[in-house]
Amino acid sequence: MTERLQPTHRCFGPGAIRTRRVGRGRSDMSYQGRCRCGTVTFTVAADLPQTAVACPCPRCRQMDILLTFVPDACFTLLSGTNDIGQHQVHRHPNRHFSCSLCGTAVFIVDARPDGSVLRGINLRCVPIADPGAMSVRWVDGAHH
């Protein structure tokens, strides 16, 4: 049986800005990301995850993808709409989006059987994300 990925954290809705106390400082419950060249930029209205999802297939390793999944409503593309290339891997239903200028894999769109849509955000595109501080859950994306 194929494991279906679920959102790794809660969405605060489009355009929502919420804050919470973290130690003595404050932390914004949204984060921003970009491709290497800065053409494609986005924001995600959710907390940074503590767990990331990785796939050991050669393609994902080559593209240096480390994902977190959020509901589609959490994701806002800020720039680069005309500079995004899209592709599908084999028969897998996910659509992968990359910057057509620098080639950075930015996000994935995962249409679910129930009609909902998740965005797989490549955390390597999020400057404040610290992959070394996250636990990684490995999934076999090549065979499902």
Side-chain angles (χ1 to χ4, degrees):
M1 184 165 124
T2 300
E3 175 188 9
R4 294 297 296 181
L5 298 174
Q6 299 301 317
T8 52
H9 49 275
R10 187 179 92 167
C11 176
F12 301 112
I17 301 292
R18 298 190 183 176
T19 56
R20 66 182 165 110
R21 283 232 175 258
V22 177
R24 293 183 178 171
R26 295 187 69 89
S27 174
D28 200 8
M29 289 184 168
S30 67
Y31 54 92
Q32 296 175 355
R34 64 181 191 83
C35 64
R36 272 190 291 281
C37 71
T39 299
V40 178
T41 61
F42 61 88
T43 188
V44 178
D47 277 328
L48 273 173
Q50 295 179 354
T51 302
V53 177
C55 173
C57 80
R59 180 167 177 66
C60 289
R61 282 195 326 258
Q62 183 182 30
M63 295 180 74
D64 200 21
I65 296 175
L66 187 63
L67 296 170
T68 186
F69 286 86
V70 298
D72 190 51
C74 292
F75 181 87
T76 303
L77 185 63
L78 300 174
S79 67
T81 304
N82 295 326
D83 296 305
I84 293 179
Q86 174 184 201
H87 66 276
Q88 223 169 332
V89 180
H90 305 293
R91 294 175 302 212
H92 201 281
N94 291 349
R95 291 175 295 146
H96 297 249
F97 293 83
S98 302
C99 174
S100 59
L101 301 177
C102 67
T104 303
V106 182
F107 61 90
I108 293 171
V109 174
D110 181 13
R112 313 308 300 255
D114 65 3
S116 64
V117 176
L118 295 179
R119 294 276 178 147
I121 310 300
N122 185 358
L123 291 168
R124 306 258 190 226
C125 296
V126 178
I128 65 169
D130 181 5
M134 297 176 189
S135 60
V136 176
R137 184 168 62 108
W138 292 91
V139 297
D140 184 3
H143 296 101
H144 74 111

